[in-house]
């Protein structure tokens, strides 16, 4: 593309951005949300105090803040901006652009695990619900039981979320083909449209409405008491403040330090009353990172960065896990309609089968609809581990402009592992809260995870041999699995050396093509870092409420349960505190 045509495309995108962004503003107005203020508006000398300070306005943080504000004064601190003025967040068709954005203003902060897998963490009000594929599916009852949750309150909390932001999809052709292919391949029964986690094939919910507009956790703030809730954007919390005076049995969290969008530092404090708390909801990366920065963690790790020890806990940052995903690229006769996750096959072998499609709607889609941070596209050469950097990624982006459009005609069938047994850890790189910590997931370190991946690939092969798919593929008779595997080795982006033209080992294929589905969790596990009520063990006035506390990712996709968790814990805390006030 020459400079003139690039300029024309850029101007057209700017115009579209202006037109589409007005949709976000209209949605904001209709919701009657509380005011969102930039962190720089927070007074340097602040005498106002709060009953709850929530760090992280994400998937759990927003419903938690909305719920607690019904009775108490809440400060919600979010390190990113608003989702409502960014069409790359709000529109389904721009899903990949959003993930590709590596600018400082991006709602997705990219990071590369030490395994060489490219990942992203949210940096926007609404958290992961702003950058994910939108699929909504509840956890199975046994998950709720093992978590020790009140089943009745869980069954009240899910609908509270669903009636506000969840929709039923109009099943796209690619999703219908997967549904029928799954059933023909034996992943049965068909459970229809349901939020429930049931073995077989089903269509789940979505946070995209029928127009393709995304509804996020931020929408749930419309249920808040606006008189009790203050929302600050671009507020990066770098430390929890503790009272460690002698005479106290254990340190007590009393406030937080944060910096605003201009780099100025501020402090916010809790009301000096029993029950007032700091609640960290910064996600599986941000929550253990903040605990470490605040002096809670392994002594040697804190000492390495000259961080004063508030409380020694060797488990902070440990047990990190990510559900590994592998995908098979399937070329089609003609470009397929865009779809994200709508249909899922839930097998009894601990493998989930899903699909996505429609990445080449227009001639410029390679340039604008295929981001390097997407887990599903691209052709990346072998890069030695020591050269795995964002510079290498940018070089790939530049080279990608020369790829023919036809290589993206088609869709992907995905398989992912439920509850991987392989785990890793998170450690600090430095003491800057804006830096990504170093994260290791150890994908497929446990042999059972690898065997389940092979099972998933073989299940996809069965699906591709069904009439529903042989009639759709580009050559009209279906592809040999070897051909598809070789295509897919190049079509999955990670920074792991590839074994191209080698399909003799499905185990090797799994290792070569592993990518993320953004379902990482752990680092602040229940029983190790927090108790059953998510209070940080050994600290008063501090909880962690988000996916970092989970030992496994709930359901086929975690967002439904993490959203529910925010509402659930908000109600639990209110009941607990109001009961104490009433002398119950």
């Amino acid at each position: 593309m020459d400079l003139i045509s690039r300029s024309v495309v850029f101007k057209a995108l700017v115009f579209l951005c202006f037109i589409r962004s007005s949709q976000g503003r209209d949605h904001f107005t209709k919701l009657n949300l509380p005011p969102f203020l930039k962190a720089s508006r927070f007074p340097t000398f602040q005498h106002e105090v709060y009953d709850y300070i929530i760090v992280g306005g994400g998937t759990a943080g927003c419903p938690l803040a909305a719920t607690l504000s019904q009775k108490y004064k809440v400060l919600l601190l979010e390190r990113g901006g608003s989702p409502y003025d960014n069409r790359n967040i709000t529109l389904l068709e721009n899903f990949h652009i959003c993930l590709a954005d590596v600018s400082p203003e991006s709602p997705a902060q990219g990071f590369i695990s030490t395994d060489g897998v490219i990942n992203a963490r949210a940096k926007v009000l609404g958290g992961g619900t702003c950058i994910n594929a939108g699929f909504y599916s509840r956890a199975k009852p046994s998950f709720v039981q093992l978590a020790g949750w009140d089943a009745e309150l869980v069954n009240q909390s899910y609908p509270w979320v669903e009636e506000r932001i969840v929709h039923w999809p109009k099943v796209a052709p690619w999703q219908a083909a997967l549904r029928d292919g799954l059933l023909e391949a034996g992943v049965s029964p068909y459970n229809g449209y349901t939020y429930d986690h049931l073995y077989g094939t089903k269509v789940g919910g979505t946070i995209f409405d029928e127009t393709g507009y995304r509804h996020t956790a931020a929408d749930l703030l419309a249920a808040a008491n606006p008189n009790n809730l203050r929302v600050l954007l671009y507020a990066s919390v770098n430390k929890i403040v503790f009272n460690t005076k002698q005479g106290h049995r254990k340190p007590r969290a009393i406030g937080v330090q944060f910096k605003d969008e201009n780099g100025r530092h501020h402090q916010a404090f809790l009301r000096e009353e029993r029950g007032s708390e700091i609640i960290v909801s910064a996600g599986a990366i941000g929550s253990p990172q903040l605990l470490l920065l605040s002096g809670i963690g392994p002594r040697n790790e804190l000492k390495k960065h000259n961080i004063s020890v508030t409380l020694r806990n060797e488990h902070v940052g440990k047990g990190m896990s990510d559900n590994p995903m592998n995908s098979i690229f399937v070329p089609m006769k003609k470009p397929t309609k865009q779809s994200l996750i709508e249909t899922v096959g839930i097998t009894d072998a601990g493998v989930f089968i899903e699909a996505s499609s429609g990445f080449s709607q227009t001639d410029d889609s390679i340039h604008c609809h295929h981001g390097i941070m997407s887990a599903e596209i691209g052709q990346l050469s072998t890069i030695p581990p020591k050269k795995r950097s964002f510079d290498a990624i940018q070089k790939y982006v530049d080279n990608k402009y020369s790829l023919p459009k036809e290589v993206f005609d088609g869709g992907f069938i995905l398989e992912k592992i439920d509850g991987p047994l392989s785990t890793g850890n998170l450690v600090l790189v430095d003491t800057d809260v804006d830096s990504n910590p170093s994260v290791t997931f150890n994908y497929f370190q446990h042999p059972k995870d690898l065997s389940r991946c092979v099972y998933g690939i073989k299940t996809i092969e069965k699906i591709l041999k069904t009439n529903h798919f042989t009639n759709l593929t580009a050559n009209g008779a279906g592809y040999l699995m070897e051909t598809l595997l070789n295509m897919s080795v190049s079509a999955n982006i990670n920074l792991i050396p590839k074994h191209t033209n080698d399909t003799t080992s499905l185990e090797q294929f799994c290792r070569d093509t592993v990518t993320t589905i953004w379902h990482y969790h752990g680092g602040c596990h229940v029983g190790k870092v927090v108790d059953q009520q998510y209070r940080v063990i050994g600290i008063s006035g501090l909880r962690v409420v988000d996916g970092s506390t989970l030992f496994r990712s709930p359901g086929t996709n975690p967002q439904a349960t993490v959203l529910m968790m925010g509402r659930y814990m908000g109600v639990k805390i209110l009941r607990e505190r109001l009961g104490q006030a009433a002398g119950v």
Side-chain angles (χ1 to χ4, degrees):
M1 183 181 288
D2 57 32
L3 291 177
I4 295 177
S5 58
R6 282 178 185 269
S7 175
V8 170
V9 170
F10 175 76
K11 290 177 180 177
L13 287 173
V14 170
F15 174 73
L16 285 172
C17 185
F18 174 77
I19 297 298
R20 294 296 183 88
S21 65
S22 65
Q23 295 180 359
R25 289 193 293 269
D26 289 345
H27 185 65
F28 181 95
T29 303
K30 290 176 183 176
L31 279 173
N32 195 27
L33 290 158
F36 301 160
L37 301 176
K38 288 186 176 181
S40 57
R41 298 277 300 275
F42 193 79
T44 303
F45 299 100
Q46 178 59 253
H47 299 291
E48 192 171 19
V49 290
Y50 301 88
D51 297 294
Y52 296 96
I53 298 175
I54 299 175
V55 180
T59 310
C62 284
L64 179 62
T67 303
L68 292 176
S69 73
Q70 293 301 316
K71 297 293 182 182
Y72 294 99
K73 196 166 186 179
V74 178
L75 175 64
L76 179 62
L77 300 171
E78 167 53 47
R79 71 189 186 117
S82 167
Y84 297 106
D85 53 6
N86 186 339
R87 76 184 190 103
N88 286 348
I89 293 172
T90 57
L91 300 181
L92 181 150
E93 64 189 287
N94 293 335
F95 168 67
H96 295 91
I97 304 176
C98 185
L99 286 171
D101 186 359
V102 293
S103 69
E105 298 77 26
S106 174
Q109 181 178 355
F111 69 94
I112 304 172
S113 72
T114 63
D115 316 276
V117 172
I118 302 168
N119 215 313
R121 52 192 288 220
K123 190 177 68 173
V124 61
L125 187 68
T129 64
C130 296
I131 64 173
N132 66 17
F135 194 64
Y136 183 95
S137 183
R138 296 181 180 184
K140 55 187 175 182
S142 61
F143 184 95
V144 173
Q145 185 177 11
L146 286 171
W149 291 337
D150 179 336
E152 182 179 357
L153 181 54
V154 166
N155 290 330
Q156 294 169 1
S157 300
Y158 273 124
W160 183 88
V161 172
E162 291 154 6
E163 67 188 22
R164 289 167 170 82
I165 64 172
V166 185
H167 305 265
W168 292 116
K170 183 178 180 181
V171 179
W174 184 252
Q175 303 293 325
L178 175 66
R179 176 196 62 204
D180 298 338
L182 280 164
L183 293 171
E184 189 176 337
V187 184
S188 59
Y190 179 55
N191 294 305
Y193 286 75
T194 180
Y195 298 141
D196 293 337
H197 187 96
L198 302 170
Y199 290 118
T201 296
K202 73 166 191 172
V203 177
T206 177
I207 58 173
F208 291 101
D209 64 25
E210 61 183 8
T211 70
Y213 188 92
R214 184 191 292 269
H215 297 262
T216 75
D219 290 15
L220 300 175
L221 295 176
N225 178 344
N227 297 319
N228 279 346
L229 178 62
R230 172 173 284 192
V231 181
L232 293 186
L233 304 178
Y234 307 108
S236 296
V237 177
N238 48 32
K239 189 177 182 181
I240 300 166
V241 180
F242 298 98
N243 182 346
T244 56
K245 290 180 182 177
Q246 301 230 350
H248 288 269
R249 189 163 55 88
K250 52 187 177 182
R252 178 171 185 83
I254 60 171
V256 295
Q257 295 178 359
F258 64 94
K259 61 180 180 179
D260 63 27
E261 70 276 13
N262 300 317
R264 294 184 63 191
H265 291 268
H266 306 263
Q267 293 189 95
F269 290 97
L270 293 173
R271 192 187 308 277
E272 292 185 17
E273 287 188 7
R274 182 185 178 191
S276 294
E277 292 179 322
I278 307 293
I279 305 178
V280 180
S281 295
I285 306 299
S287 289
Q289 180 186 26
L290 181 58
L291 292 189
L292 290 168
L293 291 173
S294 303
I296 303 172
R299 185 182 299 275
N300 289 341
E301 174 67 8
L302 300 177
K303 184 178 179 181
K304 186 191 308 180
H305 297 283
N306 295 317
I307 299 173
S308 299
V309 178
T310 302
L311 178 74
R312 180 181 178 181
N313 186 321
E314 298 298 320
H315 301 292
V316 176
K318 303 295 175 58
M320 297 296 297
S321 191
D322 186 21
N323 290 18
M325 181 185 80
N326 298 79
S327 59
I328 302 295
F329 173 66
V330 186
M332 308 304 290
K333 293 177 182 177
K334 57 184 178 180
T336 56
K337 180 181 178 181
Q338 184 180 19
S339 70
L340 299 179
I341 311 301
E342 296 173 357
T343 301
V344 61
I346 301 174
T347 72
D348 57 8
V351 175
F352 304 139
I353 309 295
E354 299 175 346
S356 60
S357 67
F359 303 119
S360 51
Q361 302 287 304
T362 62
D363 289 341
D364 64 353
S365 64
I366 291 174
H367 307 291
C368 298
H369 288 239
H370 295 275
I372 185 67
M373 298 310 296
S374 167
E376 299 165 336
I377 56 96
Q379 294 181 341
L380 195 62
S381 301
T382 295
I383 296 180
K386 291 184 179 179
K387 296 183 179 179
R388 295 171 185 172
S389 66
F390 281 100
D391 290 338
I393 293 174
Q394 188 56 51
K395 183 177 180 181
Y396 163 76
V397 172
D398 295 338
N399 291 337
K400 191 173 61 174
Y401 289 141
S402 63
L403 291 175
K405 173 178 177 292
E406 288 73 22
V407 303
F408 295 105
D409 285 349
F412 288 82
I413 301 181
L414 327 171
E415 68 84 26
K416 58 188 183 184
I417 305 301
D418 176 28
L421 299 174
S422 306
T423 61
N425 61 76
L426 175 152
V427 295
L428 297 176
V429 171
D430 55 39
T431 56
D432 184 351
V433 70
D434 293 328
S435 298
N436 285 313
S438 175
V439 186
T440 302
F441 293 118
N442 288 322
Y443 299 101
F444 300 130
Q445 184 182 64
H446 196 286
K448 187 173 180 180
D449 293 342
L450 195 59
S451 66
R452 284 190 290 172
C453 176
V454 171
Y455 175 91
I457 299 299
K458 288 181 177 179
T459 303
I460 292 175
E461 182 176 12
K462 291 179 183 177
I463 294 167
L464 292 172
K465 287 180 178 178
T466 65
N467 292 330
H468 301 287
F469 275 90
T470 56
N471 293 334
L472 289 172
T473 53
N475 66 0
Y479 284 89
L480 292 174
M481 193 60 177
E482 288 185 7
T483 303
L484 294 177
L485 289 173
N486 280 321
M487 287 183 185
S488 301
V489 167
S490 297
N492 285 271
I493 292 180
N494 58 35
L495 302 185
I496 299 171
K498 304 290 190 295
H499 295 75
T500 55
N501 297 315
D502 177 10
T503 58
T504 58
S505 169
L506 290 181
E507 286 85 357
Q508 190 63 57
F509 176 84
C510 288
R511 292 190 186 98
D512 285 358
T513 64
V514 62
T515 55
T516 185
I517 192 71
W518 310 290
H519 295 171
Y520 43 82
H521 48 282
C524 297
H525 281 150
V526 172
K528 296 179 180 291
V529 178
V530 298
D531 64 17
Q532 287 287 336
Q533 299 304 316
Y534 302 99
R535 299 184 185 95
V536 175
I537 297 168
I539 301 285
S540 296
L542 181 63
R543 298 194 205 219
V544 179
V545 177
D546 59 26
S548 70
T549 65
L550 304 177
F551 281 91
R552 65 188 299 157
S553 182
T556 59
N557 298 67
Q559 81 161 340
T561 302
V562 177
L563 285 162
M564 180 281 296
M565 185 183 187
R567 170 63 178 180
Y568 174 93
M569 283 306 300
V571 174
K572 286 276 287 186
I573 292 169
L574 286 180
R575 288 179 178 177
E576 174 187 291
R577 190 166 181 182
L578 292 171
Q580 289 174 349
V584 176

